[in-house]
Amino acid sequence: MGELHAASRYIGLLSLSAALLEALMLKFVFKRSYDWRSGLASIAVALIRSVNLFVPVALALPGAYWLQKHRLFDATSLGVGSWVILFFGVEFLYYWYHRLGHRTRWFWLSHAVHHTPNELNLTTVARLGWTSKITGAYAIFAPLALLGFSPESILTAYSLNLSYQFWIHADWFPKLGPLEGILNTPSAHRVHHAANLEYLDANYGGVLLLFDRLFGTYTPEREDLPCRYGLVHPLHTYNPFKIALHQFGPFLKDLWSARSAREVFGYFFAPPGWRPDGTGETTEDMRRRAAAGKQQVVVTQEPAPATAA
């Protein structure tokens, strides 16, 4: 894994340079405000997260070496075809890894960190959770080892998938015409990072939006609905420790308040915002209340029936 670590450092340096160039461009060319402290906070989160490079592959991908040893067949013998299989395999599993990161609270504890910036720019890429490798999140990629791929090659393919996603965190990039809805573009990813109720839980793909279309989670960006970035309840801090760990306090508080095994299970594996009495703030809860509110407004605004003369 030494080569992967070296490549990660090289990519990190290039990414930092690109993020600085973007900041200068936004400030002096587009004449836009730029939150330098937020950008520095993201870099601080990334620097502390670099300790993850020392987490063993066996821990990041539990069981993958055993699965490779008992593989069903060896796809690596297919030449170029093996890379195609690995690409689509990682893309498919990344879709579900990413979707679970939003729809399962245990994994949201780590993934929420990436959604804390209240603006979208290239430094957002650096703001990743510290605990992903130790919460079992990467285990979803382990089945690829049954096709004969080594854990190292799986992680490399996953890293390349993430590398593609660097440029799509630019909120100034225009829509890309016929590529929208096919590739994961800046426009599609703006929707993914938006906290607007209409945009929540959408566009989970890495390089492609194929599986978003297949499983009904693709949402295009609307001209009439500007994206509001950040969490549903915005986090206002530049402290990297608060940014990286802010979800754990409420999570532990909810576990302490649980009165049954069902509630404990719900606080672990139900969507973020879940409450046992149905009064929480999951996406479904908020949309249901919003729909009920609209219906009530429609009812109260109906004109009174005309009376006979």
Side-chain angles (χ1 to χ4, degrees):
M1 294 296 288
E3 295 83 358
L4 181 58
H5 292 170
S8 297
R9 289 192 293 269
Y10 180 67
I11 292 173
L13 182 59
L14 287 178
S15 300
L16 182 60
S17 300
L20 177 59
L21 181 61
E22 179 199 45
L24 295 174
M25 181 185 69
L26 291 175
K27 181 70 175 178
F28 298 108
V29 177
F30 289 101
K31 305 298 182 182
R32 287 172 46 178
S33 61
Y34 189 88
D35 193 339
W36 293 93
R37 293 178 68 187
S38 178
L40 291 173
S42 296
I43 294 170
V45 169
L47 289 174
I48 299 172
R49 185 180 186 272
S50 64
V51 174
N52 275 338
L53 292 174
F54 299 101
V55 174
V57 175
L59 183 60
L61 284 175
Y65 285 111
W66 186 90
L67 291 175
Q68 185 191 21
K69 183 178 178 180
H70 297 85
R71 56 189 174 272
L72 300 177
F73 64 94
D74 190 359
T76 62
S77 64
L78 300 178
V80 175
S82 68
W83 291 103
V84 175
I85 293 172
L86 183 58
F87 169 79
F88 280 100
V90 167
E91 184 68 24
F92 173 73
L93 293 175
Y94 177 82
Y95 170 86
W96 287 107
Y97 159 78
H98 198 181
R99 186 168 176 175
L100 286 172
H102 282 259
R103 301 294 297 160
T104 303
R105 191 176 183 185
W106 174 246
F107 298 126
W108 177 246
L109 294 175
S110 299
H111 187 64
V113 177
H114 185 57
H115 286 265
T116 54
N118 298 311
E119 60 285 314
L120 188 67
N121 55 55
L122 296 181
T123 63
T124 304
V125 182
R127 198 177 287 205
L128 298 174
W130 297 345
T131 55
S132 298
K133 284 187 176 181
I134 59 176
T135 57
Y138 290 177
I140 197 170
F141 295 101
L144 287 172
L146 284 172
L147 305 182
F149 296 110
S150 69
E152 290 81 5
S153 64
I154 295 169
L155 285 180
T156 299
Y158 168 66
S159 297
L160 291 173
N161 192 296
L162 290 183
S163 296
Y164 167 85
Q165 296 178 49
F166 174 76
W167 73 286
I168 62 175
H169 288 81
D171 77 333
W172 49 269
F173 216 97
K175 289 187 176 182
L176 298 181
L179 294 179
E180 296 296 339
I182 299 174
L183 289 178
N184 193 8
T185 64
S187 175
H189 209 58
R190 287 194 286 270
V191 168
H192 177 73
H193 272 268
N196 312 59
L197 188 57
E198 296 85 349
Y199 287 150
L200 291 179
D201 297 332
N203 303 350
Y204 296 114
V207 176
L208 305 174
L209 295 175
L210 169 65
F211 298 110
D212 284 288
R213 286 189 167 276
L214 185 62
F215 297 112
T217 53
Y218 172 61
T219 299
E221 185 180 21
R222 289 165 42 182
E223 298 294 340
D224 65 326
L225 186 62
C227 296
R228 178 185 75 78
Y229 304 115
L231 302 175
V232 170
H233 297 290
L235 183 69
H236 298 290
T237 181
Y238 300 115
N239 185 319
F241 291 93
K242 290 183 178 179
I243 290 170
L245 303 173
H246 75 280
Q247 289 285 325
F248 283 87
F251 171 67
L252 294 174
K253 182 179 179 181
D254 286 340
L255 285 182
W256 183 257
S257 71
R259 293 170 294 180
S260 66
R262 172 185 172 272
E263 292 187 9
V264 170
F265 184 87
Y267 286 130
F268 265 96
F269 300 112
W274 177 85
R275 288 290 179 270
D277 59 0
T279 62
E281 290 190 327
T282 66
T283 301
E284 291 77 14
D285 291 334
M286 291 187 291
R287 285 177 175 164
R288 184 172 59 252
R289 286 195 289 269
K294 288 180 181 178
Q295 290 172 359
Q296 185 175 4
V297 168
V298 170
V299 170
T300 57
Q301 289 183 351
E302 284 183 351
T307 58

